[in-house]
């Protein structure tokens, strides 16, 4: 797909990986609908980027709201051919701590946002994409989901997060196989340590310690590097049904 033809929905698009992706889409000549819960940041980003971007306050776990906003965003853009799912939470917690067993609702919430929310957007967006006119290669859409290296090397306290991101990684291939007949590609990116708002509360020394654990380059990843990979996935028609690690060769330790 040509980057200038992109009409994308980006969940979690008001900050971090999602924000960088929205910025990249607009700078490349495409259009982007920002789906996020943070109205202040979402509206500000849309205003900053101009007519190619619009904000839709969206809870990706709410099926009715998500469907309504997908339809509205599709109408506003005059189509929908790309979805990038970045919405997610990373609430940590040991399964059994000094306070006792992890509250079940905490585990369920992480799965609901990270896995069910991602699937909710996919199922609704894919139904719209299947109505698109195929391009010269027969392509009708591209879906990029966000997994994590925690899907493969989850640390202590990441049982819920790892389970949710492992689910995102595991459904990549079956989704790609199902949607192949409709010309819709499905990919996932598994970021390592990326300098997003999740790390904002850490002092510089703590960030540097984390960075030293990355073989090369010895630094935290940048959101724009995630966005660069998204752009390549969109433009490269042979990328399908795979999870790409974006991690500087890091392999996470138990803690």
């Amino acid at each position: 797909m040509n980057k200038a033809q992109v009409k994308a929905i980006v969940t979690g698009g008001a900050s971090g990986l999602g924000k960088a992706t929205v910025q990249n889409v607009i700078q490349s000549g495409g259009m982007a609908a920002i789906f996020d819960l943070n109205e202040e940041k979402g509206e500000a980003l849309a205003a900053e980027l101009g007519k190619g971007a619009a904000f839709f306050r969206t809870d990706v776990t709410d099926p009715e709201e998500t469907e309504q906003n997908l339809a509205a965003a599709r109408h506003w853009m005059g189509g929908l051919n790309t979805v990038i799912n970045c919405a997610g939470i990373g609430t940590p917690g040991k399964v059994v701590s000094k306070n006792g067993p992890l509250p079940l609702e905490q585990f369920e919430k992480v799965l609901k946002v990270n896995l069910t929310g991602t699937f909710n957007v996919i199922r609704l967006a894919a139904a719209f994409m299947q109505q698109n006119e195929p391009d010269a290669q027969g392509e009708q859409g591209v879906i990029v989901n966000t997994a994590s290296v925690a899907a493969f090397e989850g640390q202590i306290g990441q049982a819920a997060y790892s389970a949710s991101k492992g689910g995102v990684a595991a459904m990549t291939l079956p989704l790609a196989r199902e949607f192949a007949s409709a010309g819709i590609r499905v990919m996932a990116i598994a970021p390592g340590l990326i300098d997003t708002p999740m790390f904002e509360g850490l002092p510089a020394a703590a960030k540097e310690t984390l960075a030293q654990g990355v073989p090369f380059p010895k630094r935290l990843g940048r959101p724009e590097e995630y966005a660069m990979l998204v752009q390549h996935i969109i433009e490269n028609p042979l990328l399908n049904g795979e999870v790409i690690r974006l991690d500087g060769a890091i392999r996470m330790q138990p803690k």
Side-chain angles (χ1 to χ4, degrees):
M1 185 186 303
N2 186 301
K3 60 187 178 183
Q5 298 172 328
V6 169
K7 295 178 179 180
I9 285 169
V10 183
T11 72
S15 64
L17 303 179
K19 179 180 179 179
T21 301
V22 170
Q23 291 170 324
N24 183 276
V25 167
I26 301 303
Q27 290 163 4
S28 299
M31 299 180 73
I34 303 161
F35 279 27
D36 206 290
L37 285 173
N38 192 314
E39 295 184 50
E40 182 180 353
K41 288 184 177 181
E43 294 286 4
L45 180 60
E48 172 194 327
L49 295 175
K51 64 179 182 180
F55 174 67
F56 297 80
R57 186 199 176 280
T58 308
D59 178 352
V60 296
T61 69
D62 184 324
E64 289 79 19
E65 182 177 83
T66 303
E67 185 169 17
Q68 289 171 5
N69 285 349
L70 275 165
R74 179 175 177 244
H75 177 74
W76 166 72
M77 292 187 289
L80 171 62
N81 55 26
T82 308
V83 168
I84 302 104
N85 280 306
C86 298
I89 57 174
T91 312
K94 288 185 176 182
V95 178
V96 180
S97 69
K98 61 183 180 182
N99 297 318
L102 183 78
L104 186 58
E105 57 268 23
Q106 185 173 324
F107 182 88
E108 291 173 333
K109 182 178 180 180
V110 174
L111 261 68
K112 186 174 184 181
V113 175
N114 295 358
L115 181 56
T116 305
T118 295
F119 180 79
N120 183 39
V121 174
I122 291 170
R123 71 184 184 92
L124 296 167
F128 282 131
M129 288 181 181
Q130 290 181 18
Q131 300 172 35
N132 291 343
E133 279 294 320
D135 66 12
Q137 299 190 86
E139 187 164 277
Q140 292 177 248
V142 181
I143 298 169
V144 182
N145 300 317
T146 305
S148 167
V149 295
F152 313 108
E153 299 113 35
Q155 297 183 294
I156 292 170
Q158 286 189 319
Y161 186 71
S162 292
S164 68
K165 294 301 186 177
V168 170
M171 70 180 175
T172 304
L173 184 57
L175 289 171
R177 286 172 163 172
E178 178 180 343
F179 298 153
S181 60
I184 299 170
R185 294 186 288 119
V186 182
M187 289 288 293
I189 299 173
L193 300 176
I194 311 292
D195 195 3
T196 64
M198 192 179 295
F199 289 99
E200 279 180 355
L202 288 180
K207 284 188 178 183
E208 181 57 30
T209 299
L210 288 172
Q212 289 306 306
V214 183
F216 185 84
K218 282 197 173 297
R219 59 170 173 80
L220 299 182
R222 298 166 182 146
E224 56 265 32
E225 291 168 328
Y226 173 94
M228 288 165 58
L229 181 53
V230 170
Q231 180 180 323
H232 182 71
I233 290 170
I234 290 169
E235 294 182 299
N236 191 329
L238 198 59
L239 287 174
N240 194 17
E242 184 57 273
V243 182
I244 301 176
R245 293 182 67 126
L246 184 68
D247 63 9
I250 196 170
R251 296 298 181 267
M252 303 300 293
Q253 298 303 305
K255 57 183 178 180

